[in-house]
Every structure is written in C-alpha cells, then in structure tokens.
Amino acid sequence: MTAPAPTREHWGSRFGFILAAAGSAIGLGNIWKFPYITYENGGGSFVLIYLACIALVGFPIMISEIIIGRRSQQSTVSGFLALSKNKWWALVGALGIASGFAILSFYSVVAGWTIYYFGECIGWSFGGFDETDLNAHFGAFVSNGTLQVLFHSIFMGVTIGVVAMGVKGGIERIAKTLMPILMGILVLLCLNSMQTEGFGEAMRFLFTPGEFTKDGALEALGHAFFTLSLGMGAMITYGSYMSKKDPIAGSAVLICILDTLIALMACVIMFSIIFSVEDKGQFTKSAAILFTTLPQLFYDLPFGNILSPIFYALVAMAALTSTISLLEVVTAFFIDQLNWHRVKAAITVGLVIYSIGILCALSNGANATLSSIQPLGDRSTGVFGLLDYLSANWMLPVGGLGIAIFVGWFLPSEASREELATEKGPFRTYGLWQFLVRFVCPAAIAAILVAVVLGRKFN
Ligand code: TRP
C-alpha cells in the first residue's frame, strides 16, 4: 500500500474540477465521432438510446471512478492498491494505463489533423475555395508522412507542456481558458445554424425516433464510455485531486450534461449544414466526414469564410483538453507509483507515446507495412486501426466492467456511502446508484463484450 503523498496537488475549486473533467470528456468523440455514428444509425432512436446509456451506465460509472480516486487520493493503479488488500485489482488500473498509451497515440494524430484543417481553412478563406476535391485532398494529406508527423508532434508537444505544468497551473488553467471559449463558439455556430434552410430537417432527424437497431444500441453504449472518458481511470485520476468537501454525484451530473449538450450541438451544427445542401450525394458517408465534406459545405454557406476556421479551432481546443487528460492518467501513475518528478514523468511518458504515435501517423498510407498489417485478421488494419480497435472494443469495456464490479461489490458500502455523503437533493438516493453499478452497468458492459466476441466491431 502506497501512502498518499502529503503534498498532493488539488484543483483550485469545484468549478475547476468540473471544467477539467468536462474538458476531458468533450473531445473528438463529441464533434467528430458522435455526429457520424448518429447519421449512420439513422438519428432520433439512436440519440434516445444514447441518452439512456449516458444516464444509466455512464453516469453511475463516472461516480464510481471519482469515488476510487477521491477516497484513495491516488491515481489509477495505486488507487486500487490503497482501497483493497487484493493486489489483483491493480490489474484493472494497469489496463487503464495501457489504454492511455494506446488511445493517446492515435488520438493525437487525429487531433493534429484539426490544426492542419484550421490552417487550410484560413488559406481557403483568404485565397478562395475553388471546389477542391476534398476526398483527394484528405487522402493526400493523411498519406503524407512528413505532415502527419509534424502535426502529431505539435499536438503532443503542447500536451506534454501543459501536463508538465501541473494540475492547477497547467490542466485546470487550460480548461478554464479553453472551455468557455469553446462553448461560446458552439453557441454562435448553433445560432448561425438556426438561420440555415437545413435546420428544421436537422432537428427532425435528431429528435424524431425512427427505426431501432440492436447494433445501434451497442454502439451507443460503447460510445458513452469513450465520450465520457470512462473505463481507463481518467476520472479516477481527476477525482484524486478533488476536495473532500465537494459533491461527487452533483459534479458528475454536470459533466455528463455538458458532454451530452455539446455532442448534440455538434450534431445540430453539422446536420444543418448537410441538410442545407441540395445535392446530399456529395456527402460521403465516411468517418472522415469532418475533413472530407464539411469544409466544402461551409464554403457554400453565408459567412463560411469566417465560420470554417473558427470551427476547426474549436475542434482543436476540444481535442487538446482530452489529450491532456489521457497523458495525465499515465503521468500520474509514474508520479504516484514510482515517485517520479512531474516534469520528468510527463516528458518521458509523453515521448514514449509520441513514438508509438509516429507509427500511427505513418499508418494511413505513408508507410505500406504500417498501413496494412493485420495482426488480428481483418478486424483491424494498420497500426492506427489496431490501437483504435483494441481500445474501443476491449480495453475500455473491460476496464469499465472492472471498475463497476470493484466499486459495486468489493469496496465496502460504508466507504462509498461516506464519499457520497455530501450530496444534495435528488443525488442523495444512494440505493439507486448502487443498484445501477451492481447490476445494470455490468450487464450492459457484458452485452458489449459478447457482441465483440461474436465479431461486432465498434470504432
Ligand atoms: N472523451 C474524449 C472524447 O470524447 C476522449 C478521451 C479523453 C478519453 N480521455 C479519455 C476516452 C479516457 C477514453 C478514456 O473525445
């Protein structure tokens, strides 16, 4: 058992914690992935199921993660060791550390794309957008090794810098600066969408339930984990910097609401643009829609010149507060478990992840071998695809299952009761939370895992 360091850093305020955690949650998952999977799964019904997954699975697990962190005042591996005599639980934490390496490696590459498109849009805004073939443009960009590594380097560099500056002086400060700007820009873009022709159709698409599919339900559940940064210990680590006085459930509910609101706003913005265009044939149904379709549509709209660079700057900011949290989980492990200095830990870990990320950066066409390897058969292709597949399908669900079982069944009820003692109003219903963590969450996650074993792939 590791004794909590007497000098453990804490968030400056409850508000700082909420913004940092919301910053972790809100990211490419909300703006890049959610609109795309919502479109693919037919809109309204998918959104409804997703909301249920957030409320019934995501929210209780987020509370559980924060309980582990705040109770132990330790990050993910040492947190389990501090709360249980059974050392095997540390494996759940270790899996989270591995997920941190895997996710950040490819996430930083995609995050780099957003900076590049920000630059491209500024160029198009000033120089004119002359019907560039965006598919070809994107293809050429992702297979250009130099550019891929360059933008990945910029993103990892900034991420390492912020994490090295510490919890309050780095992570919290960046979140407090960027999150309000991000929300301001989103509100502006949403107001602007209300003026577009496609707004009505976008709202109908999003909020009228239609067909329901089992695959869609599983995808919604998997995405609920990813978008709330659950299953790898990010909320354990952030929770470990939280003051004992602040309410856990009362804060988690705000984080979940902010994350959901922003995912829905991103849908409204993107679908209003898509549905405003006559020829929807030009909209390619691909995961790369953010880069292959959206710029063109922006330039078909009034004010597109101004809006499009602003939009990509927003996505880059959202991605940055998420990459910070991914690096912080791993950095905090080296600080808590091995007593490393924060700066040394952030730089060392950051450089290792940066190196794995280079393999991902080169695996979208720049290097033939890295782009085509299929160590798991045709479930995933290339290094980027492999890490994405492993983390979304296996590591996060298994980690989430471990966390739910640990807090639901193994952590003494007195401990979780004590952590939740300061809750107010509707969040005082301990029994409901415990029921969700003990039964509903494990059953739901087991369903994802069974689907994955049977060959379903989430990415
Ligand atoms: N939640 C972020 C997003 O939606 C990604 C992310 C950050 C994440 N930290 C995480 C996902 C930890 C899983 C675990 O883009």
Side-chain angles (χ1 to χ4, degrees), residues 413-435:
S413 295
E414 301 81 68
S416 44
R417 244 180 225 288
E418 216 174 278
E419 290 301 316
L420 297 175
T422 53
E423 306 300 331
K424 295 200 177 63
F427 303 114
R428 302 188 62 171
T429 42
Y430 179 84
L432 176 63
W433 167 77
Q434 197 180 42
F435 173 76

Side-chain angles (χ1 to χ4, degrees), residues 215-226:
D215 277 357
L218 288 170
E219 183 144 18
L221 186 59
H223 185 66
F225 266 89
F226 187 83

Side-chain angles (χ1 to χ4, degrees), residues 62-338:
M62 182 177 288
I63 295 178
S64 310
E65 285 205 19
I66 301 177
I67 287 179
I68 298 176
R70 193 176 67 181
R71 181 99 192 145
S72 64
Q73 292 287 300
Q74 292 284 306
S75 58
T76 175
V77 172
S78 34
F80 283 99
L81 290 173
L83 296 181
S84 166
K85 290 199 185 68
N86 187 340
K87 297 230 175 332
W88 288 100
W89 284 111
L91 283 179
V92 178
L95 182 67
I97 301 296
S99 315
F101 278 96
I103 298 176
L104 184 50
S105 306
F106 70 82
Y107 199 95
S108 163
V109 173
V110 181
W113 297 350
T114 64
I115 313 181
Y116 173 77
Y117 274 83
F118 167 69
E120 288 294 271
C121 284
I122 290 187
W124 287 324
S125 294
F126 284 104
F129 181 79
D130 52 355
E131 300 298 310
T132 310
D133 176 350
L134 285 167
N135 279 314
H137 181 269
F138 180 73
F141 168 58
V142 294
S143 55
N144 180 328
T146 315
L147 286 179
Q148 290 300 301
V149 173
L150 174 69
F151 286 97
H152 165 59
S153 311
I154 297 175
F155 223 93
M156 276 311 291
V158 177
T159 305
I160 293 172
V162 175
V163 171
M165 287 194 297
V167 175
K168 211 169 14 173
I171 304 174
E172 183 173 348
R173 175 145 33 116
I174 284 287
K176 276 185 166 164
T177 316
L178 294 188
M179 295 309 286
I181 302 180
L182 183 145
M183 286 175 214
I185 298 178
L186 266 173
V187 170
L188 270 181
L189 289 173
C190 262
L191 289 177
N192 184 70
S193 337
M194 294 168 82
Q195 322 289 323
T196 61
E197 266 171 58
F199 178 72
E201 197 180 335
M203 294 303 276
R204 263 193 304 285
F205 180 73
L206 276 173
F207 298 112
T208 326
E211 213 185 313
F212 163 90
T213 66
K214 210 167 70 220
D215 277 357
L218 288 170
E219 183 144 18
L221 186 59
H223 185 66
F225 266 89
F226 187 83
T227 190
L228 293 175
S229 304
L230 299 176
M232 68 162 279
M235 295 297 160
I236 297 182
T237 303
Y238 276 23
S240 75
Y241 307 128
M242 195 179 172
S243 149
K244 290 273 181 196
K245 290 194 295 279
D246 292 335
I248 292 179
S251 305
V253 76
L254 286 174
I255 300 164
C256 292
I257 290 177
L258 280 173
D259 185 78
T260 308
L261 212 68
I262 286 181
L264 291 174
M265 283 164 86
C267 283
V268 170
I269 294 167
M270 287 176 63
F271 293 145
S272 298
I273 299 177
I274 290 167
F275 292 139
S276 295
V277 181
E278 296 275 317
D279 171 20
K280 292 190 199 63
Q282 61 172 297
F283 166 52
T284 34
K285 230 184 177 187
S286 108
I289 163 193
L290 191 63
F291 306 105
T292 53
T293 306
L294 216 61
Q296 163 117 47
L297 301 184
F298 262 122
Y299 287 103
D300 291 343
L301 287 179
F303 306 115
N305 285 353
I306 303 171
L307 296 175
S308 75
I310 294 183
F311 179 79
Y312 287 95
L314 159 115
V315 188
M317 287 182 225
L320 179 62
T321 48
S322 298
T323 53
I324 289 170
S325 80
L326 288 159
L327 183 59
E328 174 62 18
V329 171
V330 189
T331 302
F333 164 73
F334 281 88
I335 298 174
D336 290 345
Q337 199 66 29
L338 304 176

Side-chain angles (χ1 to χ4, degrees), residues 9-43:
E9 265 196 275
H10 281 91
W11 304 110
S13 64
R14 175 179 175 209
F15 183 62
F17 162 69
I18 292 175
L19 282 189
S24 165
I26 296 161
L28 296 170
N30 301 59
I31 303 172
W32 171 52
K33 204 160 150 191
F34 184 67
Y36 159 64
I37 56 177
T38 302
Y39 189 82
E40 201 183 46
N41 285 292

